[in-house]
Amino acid sequence: VQSVQSGDEVRLSSGIHGVVNEVEGDIVWLEVAKDLELKVLRTAIDHRFTGSAPDDALTSGPVEN
């Protein structure tokens, strides 16, 4: 969690997924949809995925089963 940086795809403990836009100390700005950012505590991050999210990851809709 301490190594999270801009561009990382993460999952919060609440289950929300997003891409880190900016890190300001203990605050992380997380883009969860196009033009929608959440201001969250760094400690809310539960998992960091390796590599960055694809460019269309935030603009594509839910996966149909």
Side-chain angles (χ1 to χ4, degrees), residues 27-65:
I27 301 295
V28 173
W29 290 93
L30 189 68
E31 185 172 4
V32 295
K34 185 175 178 164
D35 299 324
L36 180 62
E37 283 187 327
L38 299 177
K39 181 181 181 181
V40 300
L41 289 173
R42 181 189 295 260
T43 56
I45 297 172
D46 187 50
H47 182 77
R48 184 180 113 204
F49 299 93
T50 55
S52 297
D55 290 340
D56 62 345
L58 296 176
T59 57
S60 62
V63 176
E64 298 288 329
N65 288 338

Side-chain angles (χ1 to χ4, degrees), residues 13-35:
S13 56
S14 62
I16 294 173
H17 288 244
V19 176
V20 176
N21 273 349
E22 188 175 348
V23 179
E24 301 173 346
D26 288 337
I27 301 295
V28 173
W29 290 93
L30 189 68
E31 185 172 4
V32 295
K34 185 175 178 164
D35 299 324

